[in-house]
């Protein structure tokens, strides 16, 4: 189980000892310190009502420097959609929505199903496997690369670079050799696309490379930066969702069996996973004016860490069993795992489709699948993402003996 530490100490995202198992510290914060200061620059909001209200208040809370928990914003050559405010944000989001409106993402379902099928048939018929490394890992990256328009023969190489980058986010990744390789590769891809203006595609690259009437022409660096943002936003988060949900279902065997028997229970099981184990643990906002939040004064210019995970465990909203995984929880989809308001996750319909198809395919093929006896929940490294490190299973229900 994740939630083993009970503590009176308040959660501090800058304290490395709080990161592997943060829930007890977060609970203490919800009780005693809904909003508190953890460094000269950083404040933390821990409750559902406050986090929700801040997501909605884009006047007093700017997205500038989103993700940065240190005194300096992580420098980026171009403002990306999650960091943009006002008209700049609306224009960028509208451009991305051309490829990522919910109806368009739903049309990708057959492609997602094919990617899931490939991952599934690569699994052995029986024996021990790590569902994270051997199954989940491939799916969100492949889906994203198809959506962007990255040529298939290059997927494996691109995934290697992207994984190295995602491992260090939100720390700056521009010093990594993989960062230079990915940026160079994407820039070349943009140039190639633009050199063939008659060869059009229905993908993100096409949309960003070629301006329609009313769109601005984007320099190559901007196109590369917006695609880079998608790589960061879409892969490890969605892997986290699928792996976490599989683990929670298998760990609570009767809930796995209930969903195997009635697949209509799966969507709520996925929402409950997003709530209990929020793949994106937090977002950051910059305070634009002196203000007071839950009795805590915060001067203009300071950073506010929106503790999505803690908000999603808030007893006041979710009851005393808020840290328990329950596939029958009413209104589980009311969580904040995809954020809220004008920056709410643009990829959430796709993440949900991927999770549904990936989990369902395993249930069809291996209804007797079991976690191995030595399986333990270990959170992957890094402060931004919550993803179980591995999901070791006996694929056809055998025991270790
Ligand atoms: C389980 C998987 C995912 C989780 C938990 C997640 C979480 C989030 C959250 C919390 C935000 C809000 C950012 C903010 O308020 O500052 C966000 C925004 C965003 N997400 Fe996701 N995301 C997931 C999957 C995806 C996927 C699959 C894509 C793309 C294919 C994607 C693309 C984006 C983009 C572009 C934004 C920025 C939207 C804006 O600023 O207007 N995400 N995501």
């Amino acid at each position: 189980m994740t939630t083993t530490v009970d503590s009176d100490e308040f959660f501090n995202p800058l304290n490395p000892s709080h990161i592997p198992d943060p829930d007890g510290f977060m609970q203490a914060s919800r009780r005693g310190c809904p909003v508190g200061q953890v460094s000269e620059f950083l404040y933390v909001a821990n409750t559902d009502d406050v986090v929700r209200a801040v997501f909605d208040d884009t006047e007093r809370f700017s997205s500038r420097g989103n993700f940065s928990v240190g005194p300096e914003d992580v420098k980026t050559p171009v403002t990306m959609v999650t960091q943009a405010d006002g008209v700049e944000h609306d224009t960028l989001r509208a451009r991305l929505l051309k490829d990522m409106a919910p109806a368009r993402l739903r049309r990708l379902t057959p492609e997602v199903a094919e990617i899931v099928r490939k991952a599934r048939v690569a699994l052995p018929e029986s024996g021990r496997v790590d569902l994270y490394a051997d199954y989940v890992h491939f799916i969100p990256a492949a889906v994203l690369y198809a959506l962007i328009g990255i040529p298939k023969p290059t997927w494996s190489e691109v995934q290697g670079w992207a994984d190295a980058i995602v491992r260090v986010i939100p720390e700056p990744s521009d010093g990594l050799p993989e960062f230079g390789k990915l940026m160079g590769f994407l820039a070349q891809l943009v140039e190639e696309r633009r050199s063939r203006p008659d060869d059009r595609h229905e993908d993100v690259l096409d949309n960003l490379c070629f301006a329609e009437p009313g769109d601005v022409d984007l320099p190559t660096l901007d196109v590369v930066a917006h695609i880079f943002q998608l790589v960061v936003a879409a892969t490890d988060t969605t892997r986290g969702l699928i792996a976490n949900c599989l683990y929670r279902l298998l760990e609570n065997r009767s809930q796995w069996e209930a969903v195997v028997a009635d697949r209509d229970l799966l969507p709520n099981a996925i929402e409950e996973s997003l709530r209990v184990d929020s793949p994106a643990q937090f977002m950051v906002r910059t305070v634009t004016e002196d203000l007071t939040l839950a009795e805590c004064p915060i001067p203009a210019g300071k950073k506010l860490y929106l503790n999505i995970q803690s908000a999603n465990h808030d007893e006041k909203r979710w009851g005393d069993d808020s840290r328990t995984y329950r596939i029958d929880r009413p209104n589980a989809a009311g969580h904040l795992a995809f954020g809220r308001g004008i920056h709410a996750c643009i990829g959430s319909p796709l993440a949900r489709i991927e999770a549904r198809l990936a989990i369902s395919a395993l249930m069809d093929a291996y209804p007797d699948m079991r976690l191995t006896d030595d399986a333990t929940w270990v959170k992957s490294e890094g402060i931004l993402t919550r993803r179980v490190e591995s999901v070791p299973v006996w694929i056809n229900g055998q025991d270790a003996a």
Side-chain angles (χ1 to χ4, degrees):
M1 292 288 294
T2 340
T3 53
T4 47
V5 178
D6 274 317
S7 173
D8 293 333
E9 213 179 309
F10 297 144
F11 175 67
N12 179 353
L14 303 177
N15 181 341
S17 74
H18 287 194
I19 300 306
D21 190 359
D23 296 351
F25 304 111
M26 290 183 184
Q27 186 173 39
S29 294
R30 288 192 297 279
R31 285 191 189 130
C33 186
V35 178
Q37 183 172 9
V38 294
S39 78
E40 191 189 339
F41 308 97
L42 189 66
Y43 293 68
V44 180
N46 295 294
T47 54
D48 173 88
D49 54 345
V50 177
V51 172
R52 208 167 273 273
V54 173
F55 270 130
D56 287 346
D57 186 348
T58 50
E59 289 296 313
R60 297 193 305 160
F61 301 96
S62 158
S63 285
R64 202 173 64 233
N66 197 358
F67 305 126
S68 309
V69 293
E72 299 283 330
D73 291 349
V74 172
K75 300 261 182 306
T76 51
V78 168
T79 305
M80 294 180 278
V81 65
T82 47
Q83 310 164 311
D85 291 323
V87 177
E88 188 181 19
H89 167 262
D90 299 347
T91 310
L92 262 173
R93 186 170 169 110
R95 183 83 173 252
L96 287 172
L97 270 171
K98 287 186 185 179
D99 288 297
M100 298 177 68
R104 160 77 184 113
L105 292 178
R106 278 195 292 275
R107 284 213 306 281
L108 283 174
T109 303
E111 263 176 282
V112 178
E114 180 53 21
I115 287 167
V116 165
R117 193 192 63 76
K118 279 204 179 119
R120 221 279 298 145
V121 298
L123 288 171
E125 279 305 307
S126 61
R128 182 182 168 126
V129 298
D130 172 7
L131 286 180
Y132 174 69
D134 300 337
Y135 180 70
V136 175
H137 182 256
F138 165 76
I139 296 169
V143 170
L144 180 74
Y145 300 160
L147 175 72
I148 293 172
I150 295 177
K152 250 185 210 157
T154 62
W155 284 4
S156 154
E157 198 173 19
V158 173
Q159 183 163 292
W161 301 327
D163 284 351
I165 293 166
V166 168
R167 260 195 296 277
V168 303
I169 297 284
E171 295 299 317
S173 55
D174 49 357
L176 296 177
E178 288 86 355
F179 180 85
K181 287 183 184 153
L182 181 61
M183 289 303 185
F185 170 82
L186 292 175
Q188 200 186 340
L189 213 54
V190 172
E191 297 305 327
E192 275 168 22
R193 275 292 177 96
R194 283 185 161 148
S195 70
R196 291 182 277 110
D198 295 330
D199 180 18
R200 301 294 298 269
H201 300 251
E202 198 187 358
D203 57 31
V204 175
L205 253 178
D206 186 285
N207 169 16
L208 298 181
C209 283
F210 301 105
E212 298 291 337
D215 288 339
V216 286
D217 277 318
L218 294 171
T220 298
L221 182 60
D222 292 44
V223 178
V224 168
H226 299 321
I227 289 175
F228 176 75
Q229 163 94 88
L230 289 179
V231 170
V232 172
T235 42
D236 217 34
T237 46
T238 311
R239 288 171 183 153
L241 165 60
I242 304 170
N244 296 344
C245 189
L246 281 167
Y247 197 103
R248 289 300 177 211
L249 285 168
L250 289 162
E251 177 186 51
N252 298 277
R253 184 81 207 163
S254 62
Q255 305 199 44
W256 168 268
E257 282 163 8
V259 182
V260 167
D262 179 0
R263 230 44 77 77
D264 288 348
L265 301 177
L266 185 53
N268 204 57
I270 290 170
E271 299 307 322
E272 178 68 345
S273 167
L274 284 159
R275 187 191 70 78
V276 170
D277 300 303
S278 305
Q281 294 274 277
F282 69 90
M283 292 291 140
V284 177
R285 296 293 189 259
T286 299
V287 176
T288 60
E289 60 183 65
D290 294 351
L291 52 82
T292 298
L293 206 55
E295 297 178 18
C296 178
I298 311 181
K302 302 295 180 188
K303 299 243 167 239
L304 182 63
Y305 175 109
L306 299 184
N307 194 341
I308 292 177
Q309 181 62 78
S310 178
N312 283 340
H313 283 184
D314 190 338
E315 296 75 8
K316 285 209 182 93
R317 180 172 176 102
W318 299 102
D320 288 342
D321 68 348
S322 63
R323 285 162 59 182
T324 305
Y325 180 74
R326 268 183 50 199
I327 60 170
D328 63 346
R329 186 177 296 279
N331 308 320
H335 59 71
L336 292 171
F338 288 123
R340 182 183 156 85
I342 64 165
H343 287 277
C345 180
I346 218 172
S348 61
L350 189 57
R352 286 177 165 125
I353 292 168
E354 291 179 50
R356 188 169 48 76
L357 295 182
I359 296 170
S360 228
L362 291 181
M363 288 181 160
D364 288 342
Y366 313 106
D368 298 328
M369 173 185 283
R370 286 186 181 274
L371 279 182
T372 60
D373 288 344
D374 58 355
T376 46
W377 177 289
V378 177
K379 183 180 158 301
S380 64
E381 276 181 36
I383 64 167
L384 183 56
T385 319
R386 175 147 161 165
R387 167 174 69 67
V388 65
E389 187 71 38
S390 66
V391 188
V393 295
W394 291 105
I395 205 153
N396 257 327
Q398 298 102 315
D399 208 1

Short mmCIF file of all heavy atoms in Angstrom, two decimals, residues 55 66 81-82 89 93 96 100 144 147 230 233-234 237-238 241 274 279-280 283 285 308 336-339 342-347 350-351 354, ligand 1:
data_model
loop_
_atom_site.label_atom_id
_atom_site.label_comp_id
_atom_site.label_asym_id
_atom_site.label_seq_id
_atom_site.Cartn_x
_atom_site.Cartn_y
_atom_site.Cartn_z
N PHE A 55 -7.63 27.13 -9.37
CA PHE A 55 -7.69 26.75 -10.80
C PHE A 55 -8.63 27.70 -11.55
O PHE A 55 -8.41 28.03 -12.71
CB PHE A 55 -8.20 25.31 -10.96
CG PHE A 55 -7.11 24.26 -10.96
CD1 PHE A 55 -7.21 23.15 -10.13
CD2 PHE A 55 -6.02 24.36 -11.80
CE1 PHE A 55 -6.23 22.15 -10.14
CE2 PHE A 55 -5.03 23.38 -11.82
CZ PHE A 55 -5.13 22.28 -10.99
N ASN A 66 4.74 27.67 -14.67
CA ASN A 66 4.06 26.46 -14.19
C ASN A 66 5.08 25.32 -14.05
O ASN A 66 5.95 25.18 -14.90
CB ASN A 66 2.95 26.07 -15.19
CG ASN A 66 1.94 25.12 -14.58
OD1 ASN A 66 2.08 24.71 -13.45
ND2 ASN A 66 0.95 24.76 -15.35
N VAL A 81 1.80 26.10 -23.89
CA VAL A 81 0.41 26.36 -23.57
C VAL A 81 0.14 26.32 -22.06
O VAL A 81 -0.63 27.14 -21.54
CB VAL A 81 -0.52 25.41 -24.36
CG1 VAL A 81 -0.34 23.96 -23.97
CG2 VAL A 81 -1.98 25.79 -24.24
N THR A 82 0.81 25.42 -21.33
CA THR A 82 0.54 25.35 -19.88
C THR A 82 1.09 26.55 -19.14
O THR A 82 0.73 26.78 -18.00
CB THR A 82 1.17 24.09 -19.22
OG1 THR A 82 2.49 23.99 -19.66
CG2 THR A 82 0.41 22.84 -19.51
N HIS A 89 -2.67 32.31 -24.29
CA HIS A 89 -3.07 30.94 -23.97
C HIS A 89 -4.24 30.49 -24.85
O HIS A 89 -4.23 29.41 -25.43
CB HIS A 89 -3.46 30.81 -22.49
CG HIS A 89 -4.17 29.53 -22.20
ND1 HIS A 89 -5.56 29.44 -22.12
CD2 HIS A 89 -3.72 28.26 -22.05
CE1 HIS A 89 -5.89 28.18 -21.90
NE2 HIS A 89 -4.82 27.45 -21.85
N ARG A 93 -4.25 27.29 -27.30
CA ARG A 93 -5.13 26.16 -26.97
C ARG A 93 -6.09 25.90 -28.13
O ARG A 93 -6.34 24.75 -28.50
CB ARG A 93 -5.89 26.45 -25.68
CG ARG A 93 -6.71 25.25 -25.21
CD ARG A 93 -7.26 25.47 -23.81
NE ARG A 93 -8.23 24.45 -23.47
CZ ARG A 93 -8.05 23.49 -22.57
NH1 ARG A 93 -6.95 23.41 -21.90
NH2 ARG A 93 -9.01 22.61 -22.34
N LEU A 96 -4.30 23.98 -30.80
CA LEU A 96 -4.11 22.57 -30.45
C LEU A 96 -5.44 21.81 -30.50
O LEU A 96 -5.48 20.63 -30.87
CB LEU A 96 -3.50 22.44 -29.06
CG LEU A 96 -2.02 22.81 -28.94
CD1 LEU A 96 -1.58 22.83 -27.48
CD2 LEU A 96 -1.15 21.83 -29.73
N MET A 100 -7.24 18.09 -31.18
CA MET A 100 -7.43 17.41 -29.90
C MET A 100 -8.80 17.69 -29.28
O MET A 100 -8.98 17.47 -28.08
CB MET A 100 -6.31 17.82 -28.95
CG MET A 100 -4.97 17.39 -29.52
SD MET A 100 -3.57 17.88 -28.55
CE MET A 100 -3.80 16.91 -27.13
N LEU A 144 0.64 8.79 -28.69
CA LEU A 144 0.99 10.20 -28.86
C LEU A 144 1.75 10.43 -30.16
O LEU A 144 1.49 11.40 -30.90
CB LEU A 144 1.83 10.68 -27.67
CG LEU A 144 2.24 12.15 -27.79
CD1 LEU A 144 1.05 13.05 -27.52
CD2 LEU A 144 3.39 12.48 -26.86
N LEU A 147 -0.59 10.52 -32.97
CA LEU A 147 -1.36 11.78 -32.98
C LEU A 147 -0.51 12.94 -33.52
O LEU A 147 -0.98 13.77 -34.29
CB LEU A 147 -1.81 12.08 -31.54
CG LEU A 147 -2.52 13.40 -31.28
CD1 LEU A 147 -3.93 13.38 -31.86
CD2 LEU A 147 -2.61 13.70 -29.77
N LEU A 230 3.77 18.41 -25.52
CA LEU A 230 2.86 17.25 -25.57
C LEU A 230 3.57 15.99 -25.10
O LEU A 230 3.00 15.18 -24.37
CB LEU A 230 2.33 17.04 -26.99
CG LEU A 230 1.33 18.09 -27.49
CD1 LEU A 230 0.92 17.76 -28.91
CD2 LEU A 230 0.11 18.18 -26.59
N ALA A 233 3.66 16.16 -21.43
CA ALA A 233 2.35 16.11 -20.76
C ALA A 233 1.67 14.76 -20.89
O ALA A 233 0.88 14.37 -20.03
CB ALA A 233 1.43 17.20 -21.33
N ALA A 234 1.95 14.04 -21.98
CA ALA A 234 1.06 12.94 -22.34
C ALA A 234 1.57 11.55 -22.02
O ALA A 234 0.77 10.63 -21.90
CB ALA A 234 0.75 13.01 -23.84
N THR A 237 2.31 10.56 -17.60
CA THR A 237 1.03 10.71 -16.89
C THR A 237 0.08 9.57 -17.26
O THR A 237 -0.52 8.94 -16.39
CB THR A 237 0.36 12.04 -17.26
OG1 THR A 237 0.43 12.19 -18.68
CG2 THR A 237 0.99 13.23 -16.57
N THR A 238 -0.04 9.29 -18.56
CA THR A 238 -0.99 8.27 -18.99
C THR A 238 -0.49 6.87 -18.62
O THR A 238 -1.28 6.00 -18.25
CB THR A 238 -1.25 8.39 -20.51
OG1 THR A 238 -1.54 9.76 -20.80
CG2 THR A 238 -2.42 7.53 -20.94
N LEU A 241 -1.51 6.48 -15.11
CA LEU A 241 -2.94 6.14 -14.96
C LEU A 241 -3.16 4.64 -15.19
O LEU A 241 -3.81 3.96 -14.37
CB LEU A 241 -3.78 6.97 -15.94
CG LEU A 241 -5.21 6.48 -16.16
CD1 LEU A 241 -6.00 6.47 -14.86
CD2 LEU A 241 -5.93 7.35 -17.20
N LEU A 274 -7.65 7.74 -10.87
CA LEU A 274 -7.12 9.11 -11.06
C LEU A 274 -7.21 9.90 -9.76
O LEU A 274 -6.36 10.74 -9.46
CB LEU A 274 -7.93 9.83 -12.15
CG LEU A 274 -7.63 9.40 -13.58
CD1 LEU A 274 -8.79 9.77 -14.51
CD2 LEU A 274 -6.34 10.07 -14.07
N PRO A 279 -1.93 11.01 -11.30
CA PRO A 279 -0.64 10.89 -12.02
C PRO A 279 0.14 12.21 -12.05
O PRO A 279 1.37 12.18 -11.96
CB PRO A 279 -1.06 10.47 -13.43
CG PRO A 279 -2.39 9.82 -13.26
CD PRO A 279 -3.06 10.56 -12.13
N ALA A 280 -0.55 13.34 -12.18
CA ALA A 280 0.14 14.63 -12.05
C ALA A 280 -0.14 15.12 -10.64
O ALA A 280 -1.25 15.48 -10.31
CB ALA A 280 -0.38 15.64 -13.08
N MET A 283 0.31 21.23 -9.81
CA MET A 283 0.61 22.28 -10.78
C MET A 283 1.05 23.49 -9.96
O MET A 283 0.82 23.54 -8.75
CB MET A 283 -0.64 22.65 -11.60
CG MET A 283 -1.09 21.55 -12.52
SD MET A 283 0.08 21.28 -13.87
CE MET A 283 0.06 19.48 -13.98
N ARG A 285 1.19 27.87 -9.69
CA ARG A 285 0.75 29.17 -10.17
C ARG A 285 1.60 30.26 -9.54
O ARG A 285 2.14 30.07 -8.45
CB ARG A 285 -0.73 29.41 -9.79
CG ARG A 285 -1.72 28.43 -10.46
CD ARG A 285 -1.78 28.63 -11.96
NE ARG A 285 -2.85 27.86 -12.58
CZ ARG A 285 -2.68 26.70 -13.23
NH1 ARG A 285 -1.47 26.15 -13.33
NH2 ARG A 285 -3.72 26.10 -13.79
N ILE A 308 -2.68 18.78 -6.05
CA ILE A 308 -3.80 18.03 -6.65
C ILE A 308 -4.03 16.74 -5.88
O ILE A 308 -5.16 16.37 -5.56
CB ILE A 308 -3.48 17.72 -8.13
CG1 ILE A 308 -3.49 19.01 -8.95
CG2 ILE A 308 -4.47 16.70 -8.70
CD1 ILE A 308 -3.11 18.83 -10.41
N LEU A 336 -9.74 16.26 -9.28
CA LEU A 336 -9.03 17.36 -9.95
C LEU A 336 -7.78 16.86 -10.70
O LEU A 336 -6.90 17.64 -11.02
CB LEU A 336 -8.61 18.41 -8.91
CG LEU A 336 -9.78 19.17 -8.26
CD1 LEU A 336 -9.29 20.02 -7.09
CD2 LEU A 336 -10.49 20.06 -9.28
N ALA A 337 -7.74 15.56 -10.99
CA ALA A 337 -6.52 14.99 -11.58
C ALA A 337 -6.18 15.60 -12.94
O ALA A 337 -5.01 15.62 -13.34
CB ALA A 337 -6.65 13.48 -11.70
N PHE A 338 -7.18 16.08 -13.67
CA PHE A 338 -6.90 16.71 -14.96
C PHE A 338 -6.94 18.24 -14.85
O PHE A 338 -7.06 18.94 -15.86
CB PHE A 338 -7.93 16.26 -16.01
CG PHE A 338 -7.74 14.82 -16.46
CD1 PHE A 338 -8.77 13.90 -16.35
CD2 PHE A 338 -6.55 14.40 -17.01
CE1 PHE A 338 -8.62 12.58 -16.77
CE2 PHE A 338 -6.37 13.08 -17.44
CZ PHE A 338 -7.41 12.17 -17.32
N GLY A 339 -6.86 18.76 -13.63
CA GLY A 339 -6.96 20.21 -13.46
C GLY A 339 -8.39 20.66 -13.67
O GLY A 339 -9.34 19.85 -13.61
N ILE A 342 -9.64 26.93 -17.53
CA ILE A 342 -9.18 27.15 -18.90
C ILE A 342 -7.96 26.29 -19.28
O ILE A 342 -7.72 26.06 -20.46
CB ILE A 342 -8.87 28.64 -19.19
CG1 ILE A 342 -7.70 29.12 -18.32
CG2 ILE A 342 -10.09 29.53 -18.98
CD1 ILE A 342 -7.14 30.45 -18.83
N HIS A 343 -7.20 25.83 -18.28
CA HIS A 343 -6.04 24.98 -18.58
C HIS A 343 -6.34 23.50 -18.42
O HIS A 343 -5.41 22.67 -18.50
CB HIS A 343 -4.85 25.33 -17.68
CG HIS A 343 -4.18 26.62 -18.04
ND1 HIS A 343 -3.24 26.74 -19.02
CD2 HIS A 343 -4.34 27.87 -17.54
CE1 HIS A 343 -2.83 27.99 -19.12
NE2 HIS A 343 -3.48 28.70 -18.21
N ALA A 344 -7.61 23.14 -18.16
CA ALA A 344 -7.92 21.73 -17.91
C ALA A 344 -7.35 20.87 -19.02
O ALA A 344 -7.32 21.26 -20.20
CB ALA A 344 -9.43 21.54 -17.83
N CYS A 345 -6.93 19.66 -18.67
CA CYS A 345 -6.18 18.81 -19.59
C CYS A 345 -6.91 18.60 -20.91
O CYS A 345 -8.02 18.10 -20.97
CB CYS A 345 -5.91 17.46 -18.94
SG CYS A 345 -4.99 16.37 -20.03
N ILE A 346 -6.21 18.93 -21.97
CA ILE A 346 -6.76 18.83 -23.31
C ILE A 346 -6.74 17.37 -23.79
O ILE A 346 -7.49 16.97 -24.66
CB ILE A 346 -5.90 19.75 -24.21
CG1 ILE A 346 -6.68 20.48 -25.23
CG2 ILE A 346 -4.77 19.04 -24.80
CD1 ILE A 346 -5.84 21.52 -25.96
N GLY A 347 -5.85 16.56 -23.16
CA GLY A 347 -5.70 15.17 -23.60
C GLY A 347 -6.52 14.19 -22.78
O GLY A 347 -6.42 12.98 -23.01
N LEU A 350 -8.37 11.32 -24.46
CA LEU A 350 -7.47 10.30 -25.03
C LEU A 350 -6.91 9.41 -23.91
O LEU A 350 -6.86 8.18 -24.07
CB LEU A 350 -6.34 11.00 -25.78
CG LEU A 350 -5.43 10.11 -26.60
CD1 LEU A 350 -6.22 9.31 -27.63
CD2 LEU A 350 -4.35 10.94 -27.31
N ALA A 351 -6.52 10.02 -22.80
CA ALA A 351 -5.98 9.23 -21.69
C ALA A 351 -7.03 8.23 -21.21
O ALA A 351 -6.72 7.07 -20.91
CB ALA A 351 -5.56 10.15 -20.54
N GLU A 354 -7.34 5.37 -23.75
CA GLU A 354 -6.19 4.46 -23.65
C GLU A 354 -6.33 3.55 -22.43
O GLU A 354 -6.09 2.34 -22.52
CB GLU A 354 -4.89 5.27 -23.53
CG GLU A 354 -4.54 6.00 -24.80
CD GLU A 354 -3.26 6.81 -24.63
OE1 GLU A 354 -2.25 6.27 -24.16
OE2 GLU A 354 -3.27 8.01 -24.97
C1 LIG B 1 -3.64 10.56 -17.09
C2 LIG B 1 -3.06 11.36 -17.95
C3 LIG B 1 -2.97 12.84 -17.79
C4 LIG B 1 -3.02 13.62 -16.67
C5 LIG B 1 -3.19 13.17 -15.22
C6 LIG B 1 -2.91 15.01 -17.10
C7 LIG B 1 -2.96 16.09 -16.24
C8 LIG B 1 -3.05 17.41 -16.66
C9 LIG B 1 -3.29 18.54 -15.79
C10 LIG B 1 -3.47 18.48 -14.28
C11 LIG B 1 -3.33 19.66 -16.57
C12 LIG B 1 -3.61 21.08 -16.12
C13 LIG B 1 -2.42 22.01 -16.22
C14 LIG B 1 -2.59 23.31 -15.46
O1 LIG B 1 -3.67 23.64 -14.98
O2 LIG B 1 -1.59 24.01 -15.32
C15 LIG B 1 -3.08 19.22 -17.93
C16 LIG B 1 -2.99 20.06 -19.02
C17 LIG B 1 -2.63 19.64 -20.28
N1 LIG B 1 -2.52 18.34 -20.73
FE1 LIG B 1 -2.76 16.68 -19.61
N2 LIG B 1 -2.76 15.03 -18.46
C18 LIG B 1 -2.81 13.73 -18.92
C19 LIG B 1 -2.74 13.31 -20.24
C20 LIG B 1 -2.55 14.15 -21.31
C21 LIG B 1 -2.48 13.72 -22.68
C22 LIG B 1 -2.67 12.28 -23.17
C23 LIG B 1 -2.24 14.83 -23.43
C24 LIG B 1 -2.06 14.98 -24.92
C25 LIG B 1 -2.26 14.06 -25.81
C26 LIG B 1 -2.18 15.96 -22.52
C27 LIG B 1 -1.96 17.27 -22.88
C28 LIG B 1 -2.15 18.36 -22.05
C29 LIG B 1 -1.99 19.74 -22.48
C30 LIG B 1 -1.56 20.22 -23.87
C31 LIG B 1 -2.30 20.55 -21.37
C32 LIG B 1 -2.28 22.07 -21.30
C33 LIG B 1 -3.66 22.65 -21.48
C34 LIG B 1 -3.69 24.15 -21.28
O3 LIG B 1 -2.78 24.71 -20.65
O4 LIG B 1 -4.64 24.78 -21.77
N3 LIG B 1 -2.38 15.51 -21.25
N4 LIG B 1 -2.93 17.85 -17.97
#
